Amino acid sequence: MFSANDCITNSWFLSITTAVIIFCNLCYAFEENNGSFPEGFFFGASTSAYQIEGAWNIDGKGENIWDHFIHENPMRIVNNDNADVACDSYHKYKEDVFLAASLGFSAYRISISWTRILPSGYMGIVNEVGLKYYEDLIDEIVKYNMKAVVTLYHFDLPQQLQKDFGGWTNPKLIDIFVDYSRIVIERLEKVDYWITLNEPKVICNYGYGSGEIAPGLKYQEFECAKVVIMSHAAVYRMYKNEFPNRKAKMAINLDCEWFEPKTTSSKDIAAAQRILEFEIGIFAHPIFKGGWPKAVKERMEKRRLMENSAISQLPKLTEKEIEFINGTFDFLGVNHYVTQYAEDDSENNVGRKRNEINAGVLVTVDPPWNKNSLGSTVAMWGARNVFKWLKETYNNPEIFICEYGYSDNGTTLEDNERIRFSRMYLSAFHDAIYKDEVRIFGAMTWSLLDNFEWTSGYSSHFGLFTSIKMILTKRGFRRSQHSFSRS
Ligand code: GAL
């Protein structure tokens, strides 16, 4: 899929053919371009511990909420798949890193499995084998001159912390997360970029709001949002205070979908802005500007009145807390996959997805839009727009794109669609950099390997590489020349 030469020279020459995609409704045009990226721009691939490592109970690792969720409810995952073995990266990490390096990548993103380090989640028993595993993995990344991008938390909370405290809805988690992070940061000196938490929106909205993913709880997404954002800030401040000589930068990583107003009516324009504030702003605003976004506060007050409730679901942030969170960034990590329409639906308080009800917005898509195998709609003008919005809303922060990518269902041997989508995404990022002057300094694709895609199991394939085990057990054939196989 990638020619090593492209990456090594850091010049990503895109298709000479110009593809103009016209979307019916509002006639957006997107033109693929063939520009090169700035000198020193990082290209890379992203992974996460739970999705690739396997070895779920090996060498002292404790149980986490995903182990628990899947083992207790196997039917909630497509084909009853589990991640007990996954890509077996715990044993094959050298091969993974070699594969990334062989593409000429200059950055590789991993995450730390908390229960490999602290099996119960708490301080107490520190598992040396776990620390050594990540130390060796990072040595391997650095050996190939790639930047090590390391996420401290990518969805896999220790089950003990869920059981004892209720997980991310309990403020006690803030200090516990700091204790865990301190141990990891102290030991892993060669990391170049730290990500505190991956996609707090997914953690809170789906893990503690709609209950679709582990730990499968409902109606507590706003308590979760506060604890998660305070935890991020506490780790950032601990890092800056206790490791003043470290050069590695630190940030949170937000899942940034684009929402386009469905019509040009002022209500739909406000609806699009509102859902952006609910999905991105609720985490970005406290860090980059201070406090909850105004649109979220207003809407939640309206919901309180509609529900005739004495207290709002949105917890208060005190002045001290606002100050504590504000400014806790060295850059902004962004994952971008999806574009959708937003339509005002603010009088409705029932019936649809929780995040839509919370925001008072009806989310739709256009049938002709491209979809990946998870059903997510991809529109490249949306990819450009979201970066412009981030730049304008948060005072032009430096941005590291930590995930973008395209999934298929593994029915074809060819990676033509992934190549087509990668070109379009990269064109959109290029436009954002050169036409909109967004300060993007790197882009890592999701993912290096076909891996365990949470509730979709192994049915959706995002990988640049696939694993023989998955091919044999899931598809019965090998991929051909465009992709790569690992043994
Ligand atoms: C992101 C998540 C990744 C991966 C990706 C593809 O939300 O951070 O772990 O699953 O989606 O669906």
Side-chain angles (χ1 to χ4, degrees):
M1 171 168 188
F2 294 114
S3 110
N5 194 36
D6 282 344
C7 307
I8 287 164
T9 58
N10 255 337
S11 297
W12 202 284
F13 294 100
L14 303 172
S15 168
I16 312 159
T17 324
T18 296
V20 180
I21 303 166
I22 310 278
F23 294 97
C24 341
N25 216 357
L26 296 176
C27 286
Y28 296 102
F30 172 78
E31 228 177 290
E32 202 175 298
N33 69 56
N34 64 351
S36 359
F37 278 78
E39 187 67 33
F41 190 87
F42 298 125
F43 287 106
S46 267
T47 63
S48 91
Y50 194 71
Q51 293 174 275
I52 64 168
E53 282 179 5
W56 80 279
N57 58 355
I58 287 180
D59 285 346
K61 176 181 165 293
E63 186 189 38
N64 63 42
I65 54 173
W66 273 93
D67 296 320
H68 189 80
F69 184 73
I70 295 176
H71 294 153
E72 293 290 306
N73 316 281
M75 74 300 289
R76 291 187 70 169
I77 312 298
V78 173
N79 298 326
N80 292 1
D81 284 331
N82 67 50
D84 292 356
V85 178
C87 305
D88 200 20
S89 293
Y90 184 69
H91 297 110
K92 295 182 173 169
Y93 70 90
K94 287 191 179 171
E95 198 183 312
D96 294 355
V97 176
F98 172 76
L99 292 175
S102 71
L103 298 178
F105 282 155
S106 48
Y108 183 58
R109 175 172 173 235
I110 59 164
S111 78
I112 308 291
S113 165
W114 189 333
T115 55
R116 249 186 234 298
I117 312 293
L118 298 173
S120 66
Y122 302 106
M123 292 294 289
I125 298 171
V126 179
N127 185 20
E128 171 56 29
V129 187
L131 281 171
K132 177 84 172 54
Y133 167 69
Y134 291 110
E135 197 173 47
D136 291 346
L137 170 51
I138 289 163
D139 279 348
E140 201 66 17
I141 298 171
V142 172
K143 184 175 107 186
Y144 290 103
N145 281 325
M146 292 188 288
K147 297 289 177 200
V149 185
V150 178
T151 308
L152 289 162
Y153 183 78
H154 197 126
F155 302 171
D156 47 358
L157 187 74
Q159 175 60 20
Q160 191 80 35
L161 299 182
Q162 187 58 48
K163 187 165 147 274
D164 292 357
F165 295 119
W168 286 114
T169 52
N170 190 329
K172 289 201 169 85
L173 259 277
I174 300 169
D175 287 344
I176 296 174
F177 184 54
V178 170
D179 288 342
Y180 150 72
S181 300
R182 181 185 292 110
I183 293 174
V184 174
I185 292 169
E186 184 150 44
R187 181 68 172 260
L188 304 181
E189 291 177 4
K190 296 183 188 165
V191 170
D192 296 286
Y193 292 92
W194 288 106
I195 301 294
T196 52
L197 295 119
N198 180 66
E199 297 190 346
K201 178 191 96 183
V202 172
I203 299 170
C204 296
N205 280 9
Y206 306 125
Y208 294 85
S210 66
E212 287 160 72
I213 63 169
L217 299 176
K218 290 187 173 178
Y219 315 131
Q220 305 165 41
E221 60 271 52
F222 295 104
E223 282 98 324
C224 171
K226 178 168 175 182
V227 173
V228 160
I229 205 72
M230 287 289 290
S231 301
H232 154 79
V235 167
Y236 182 91
R237 297 215 176 276
M238 175 275 288
Y239 175 58
K240 296 293 166 179
N241 288 336
E242 297 180 23
F243 300 89
N245 298 325
R246 292 277 183 96
K247 300 236 166 5
K249 294 185 172 180
M250 183 177 273
I252 200 164
N253 190 30
L254 303 181
D255 170 20
C256 301
E257 296 181 16
W258 178 245
F259 291 94
E260 186 72 20
K262 177 79 190 266
T263 70
T264 51
S265 76
S266 55
K267 280 192 158 189
D268 286 352
I269 292 171
Q273 183 65 25
R274 197 161 63 240
I275 195 158
L276 286 165
E277 296 287 15
F278 265 82
E279 303 236 326
I280 303 174
I282 195 160
F283 303 104
H285 199 281
I287 295 174
F288 290 90
K289 298 177 108 171
W292 301 128
K294 187 163 167 270
V296 172
K297 284 194 285 193
E298 285 174 1
R299 168 70 190 166
M300 291 312 288
E301 178 57 12
K302 182 168 179 186
R303 285 209 60 193
R304 184 185 74 75
L305 296 171
M306 283 164 102
E307 286 164 354
N308 208 8
S309 166
I311 25 167
S312 166
Q313 290 179 52
L314 184 72
K316 287 225 160 8
L317 285 175
T318 64
E319 282 308 315
K320 226 171 136 193
E321 288 167 339
I322 291 173
E323 203 180 309
F324 183 70
I325 303 167
N326 197 356
T328 54
F329 68 94
D330 297 330
F331 62 98
L332 172 62
V334 173
N335 295 349
H336 174 77
Y337 292 92
V338 182
T339 286
Q340 301 180 95
Y341 280 138
E343 194 177 341
D344 180 64
D345 198 21
S346 48
E347 297 312 315
N348 192 355
N349 218 18
V350 285
R352 294 184 319 281
K353 287 190 179 163
R354 256 188 93 67
N355 60 331
E356 295 181 39
I357 297 167
N358 285 337
V361 171
L362 178 63
V363 173
T364 54
V365 298
D366 249 0
W369 286 357
N370 292 290
K371 284 198 181 72
N372 68 17
S373 61
L374 293 170
S376 307
T377 41
V378 182
M380 294 307 151
W381 48 265
R384 179 175 166 190
N385 285 356
V386 79
F387 288 104
K388 193 157 179 262
W389 186 85
L390 290 167
K391 173 192 164 189
E392 285 164 3
T393 312
Y394 302 115
N395 196 22
N396 199 12
E398 281 200 283
I399 291 179
F400 202 166
I401 299 174
C402 289
E403 291 181 29
Y404 69 95
Y406 174 80
S407 66
D408 58 40
N409 55 18
T411 53
T412 170
L413 293 174
E414 304 296 335
D415 256 2
N416 295 333
E417 280 301 90
R418 197 179 332 281
I419 292 166
R420 189 166 76 88
F421 274 86
S422 298
R423 281 190 166 141
M424 292 198 292
Y425 273 120
L426 288 166
S427 282
F429 304 158
H430 190 274
D431 283 349
I433 295 170
Y434 286 102
K435 296 186 180 158
D436 303 329
E437 298 181 349
V438 184
R439 297 197 296 153
I440 302 171
F441 63 90
M444 293 176 288
T445 190
W446 185 269
S447 183
L448 184 70
L449 309 167
D450 285 346
N451 61 38
F452 180 76
E453 274 302 329
W454 310 113
T455 51
S456 307
Y458 299 102
S459 63
S460 267
H461 298 234
F462 276 91
L464 304 179
F465 292 87
T466 195
S467 95
I468 291 291
K469 178 173 175 292
M470 282 178 211
I471 298 167
L472 293 179
T473 56
K474 301 289 168 198
R475 290 185 282 161
F477 51 69
R478 295 173 64 107
R479 281 194 181 187
S480 67
Q481 72 270 21
H482 287 309
S483 288
F484 306 85
S485 300
R486 55 175 280 171
S487 51

